[in-house]
Amino acid sequence: MKRTQQTLTTTLAAVVVAVLATAYAWYRLGPVARATVWAEDGDVFFAEHLRYGSVGSLLHPYAGYLHLLPRLVVDLAVHRPIEQYAVTVSGASCVIAGIVCAAVFVLAKDVVPAWPLRLVLAVVPVIVPIAPIEVLGNAANLHWFMLLLVPWLFTARVRTWWASAAVAVLAAVAVLTEPQTLLFVPLLVVAWWRTPRTAEDEGARRRVLTALPVTGVTVVGLAMQVVTALTTDRPTAAGNPAVADVVQGYLFEPLAGTFLKESFRVAGAVIAHGPVVLLVPIVGIAVVLVGGLVAGSWRARVQIVALVVGSVGTWTAALEANSSGDRGWSQPNGLFAATMSAPTRYAAPAAMLLTAALVVAAAVLIGPRPALRSGALRLVDRNRVLRIVAAVVGWGAIAVVVAAAVGSAAPGLSYRSDGPAWRPQLEQQTALCRADPSGAAVVQNAPKALDRVWQTSVPCVLVVVDR
């Protein structure tokens, strides 16, 4: 009875988090952005859905890897009225972001037991200031959200086979959408690591097998991603960034984007006042992270390290894999250009992972903290002054994260905020489609790029149906 009640409570809480996070993500997009189709959502995924069909397109590679989630979202949108394609893709993408938040809220309970702090951690994907600029609310960038989810999936120590199956399904979707989940594979060891309470505690030994499904689907899914990467071409040229560009770019985009939506202002402040302006946030972040590592349990330490390494690793990998991502921040011209440029899409996931690490570390500092296995108190809990200092630092970090989220909540800077909206373009071409049902309506997508025109060719038979 007690377990059933706990299950119902957890399920209800997860649903509430998912709904609130979805609504918040939808609000942050703004009316024009959510009515505008983003790049590959129309030019690639829509077109390939028509070419290969619902089933044939699901695991069809693009840009060197598999995109299961975007394909599923587009399949849903295509089966709705075509004039609602843009808002359907935006809405479904926001729902998926909400589901990611709900899953983190449930899975992080052992590391962050206090639900208010866990709620802040869970909603990181939708509250990070720079998220709506490019990655929030479109299918093409859903893969970045998987990087926030897999550290918790891979370390989940579930107690029932039903929970194991649910985690395995989420893991399968994640790894078949984002190949960089490979970075977090070592975390699977945590799911297998069970310490029996007593020599007779055979239950712990049996429960360890519940880690088998998530491990199996992860290995198979990532093997498929590796084979895809080795056998298909990427249309973008690989980068060769200098170490200085990787480091300075990280400071100007992911780190700054953790606190500011208009993160390009940091580059201007550095030009005006020197690099000393970065000293306070760097030191503050370091203090919180180191404090969390010192005071936390071994599982909390693992998560903090994984999230930080993931943040730096995904940023570095993105610049290595895409020459377009390197803006030459270490050079005077690059630094000046950074004062007028919105952050790249690679900055958002790195900022999310860094923010998540900060929240976990802050939650550790605030407490409560589990005692050591020997029963002794942790170092920070042996002294009242240390406990107070740790709590002040932790609450300070949470306050900064929440303030940054509140300050950037309103719709604003976005590559889709100026359109072009999908539906008006279709309506303008309806008469032409009626005159020639065998033709196609051409709809422009965001962004407006100099090196490529993003557009969608919509068969007229879809435009005039039921009209």
Side-chain angles (χ1 to χ4, degrees):
M1 182 66 180
K2 184 178 180 181
R3 177 175 292 183
T4 301
Q5 187 176 16
Q6 289 177 340
T7 301
L8 290 175
T9 302
T10 300
T11 302
L12 178 60
V15 170
V16 171
V17 171
V19 171
L20 293 177
T22 298
Y24 189 69
W26 179 260
Y27 165 73
R28 292 194 72 192
L29 291 178
V32 177
R34 55 186 178 236
T36 300
V37 170
W38 175 258
E40 293 94 340
D41 292 355
D43 199 313
V44 177
F45 298 138
F46 179 89
E48 291 183 348
H49 180 277
L50 297 182
R51 186 178 306 132
Y52 302 112
S54 295
V55 176
S57 63
L58 281 183
L59 296 178
H60 184 74
Y62 167 68
Y65 63 101
L66 304 175
H67 302 253
L68 179 59
L69 262 182
R71 304 286 189 182
L72 290 172
V73 168
V74 167
D75 183 62
L76 168 67
V78 168
H79 285 89
R80 299 199 68 247
I82 195 63
E83 67 272 14
Q84 297 178 21
Y85 180 78
V87 293
T88 301
V89 170
S90 297
S93 299
C94 289
V95 169
I96 290 171
I99 292 172
V100 169
C101 295
V104 172
F105 182 80
V106 173
L107 295 170
K109 184 176 182 179
D110 289 344
V111 176
V112 185
W115 74 261
L117 299 176
R118 195 164 75 253
L119 178 61
V120 176
L121 171 66
V123 298
V124 161
V126 299
I127 68 171
V128 164
I130 60 175
I133 294 177
E134 182 168 346
V135 305
L136 190 62
N138 62 77
N141 286 294
L142 283 174
H143 62 104
W144 299 121
F145 292 86
M146 300 303 100
L147 295 174
L148 274 292
L149 178 60
V150 290
W152 303 102
L153 291 175
F154 289 176
T155 58
R157 298 197 292 182
V158 295
R159 296 170 177 81
T160 68
W161 285 105
W162 285 109
S164 177
V167 170
V169 169
L170 291 174
V173 172
V175 299
L176 289 173
T177 301
E178 173 54 83
Q180 289 185 93
T181 52
L182 182 65
L183 290 170
F184 298 103
V185 163
L187 292 177
L188 287 169
V189 174
V190 176
W192 285 90
W193 191 273
R194 307 291 176 103
T195 304
R197 295 182 179 87
T198 67
E200 293 76 26
D201 189 0
E202 292 296 329
R205 294 185 175 90
R206 289 194 297 270
R207 287 193 299 270
V208 73
L209 294 178
T210 57
L212 185 59
V214 66
T215 303
V217 300
T218 299
V219 170
V220 173
L222 287 176
M224 294 171 64
Q225 289 283 20
V226 170
V227 170
T228 301
L230 295 175
T231 56
T232 58
D233 295 327
R234 284 179 56 84
T236 56
N240 186 28
V243 174
D245 286 326
V246 174
V247 174
Q248 292 190 37
Y250 186 86
L251 297 177
F252 290 141
E253 295 204 356
L255 187 142
T258 300
F259 308 107
L260 296 171
K261 189 172 187 178
E262 297 176 339
S263 57
F264 51 83
R265 291 185 176 181
V266 173
V270 169
I271 291 176
H273 306 290
V276 69
V277 298
L278 293 170
L279 187 60
V280 172
I282 291 174
V283 171
I285 289 172
V287 168
V288 175
L289 294 177
V290 172
L293 291 174
V294 172
S297 64
W298 72 270
R299 291 196 68 195
R301 292 169 181 169
V302 167
Q303 285 292 358
I304 293 169
V305 170
L307 292 167
V308 172
V309 170
S311 176
V312 176
T314 55
W315 172 256
T316 304
L319 299 192
E320 290 285 353
N322 303 276
S323 59
S324 61
D326 183 8
R327 294 178 171 177
W329 295 275
S330 65
Q331 304 300 317
N333 290 340
L335 180 58
F336 179 74
T339 65
M340 300 177 290
S341 303
T344 65
R345 62 182 174 275
Y346 312 117
M352 292 176 186
L353 288 164
L354 178 61
T355 304
L358 279 172
V359 175
V360 172
V364 167
L365 292 172
I366 293 169
R369 290 167 288 274
L372 298 171
R373 289 190 62 194
S374 63
L377 295 175
R378 297 182 181 277
L379 177 63
V380 71
D381 291 318
R382 298 174 193 173
N383 184 287
R384 183 183 179 188
V385 174
L386 287 179
R387 288 199 303 271
I388 294 174
V389 170
V392 169
V393 171
W395 281 116
I398 294 295
V400 170
V401 170
V402 172
V406 172
S408 61
L413 179 65
S414 165
Y415 286 119
R416 289 190 289 165
S417 57
D418 294 329
W422 171 274
R423 184 167 187 161
Q425 296 183 75
L426 274 184
E427 292 176 341
Q428 291 171 4
Q429 301 177 68
T430 300
L432 294 176
C433 279
R434 284 202 182 99
D436 182 14
S438 64
V442 177
V443 182
Q444 302 301 314
N445 307 337
K448 299 173 183 177
L450 297 176
D451 58 341
R452 177 171 179 174
V453 176
W454 294 98
Q455 60 186 19
T456 306
S457 180
V458 183
C460 280
V461 293
L462 296 179
V463 177
V464 299
V465 66
D466 296 330
R467 285 177 178 266

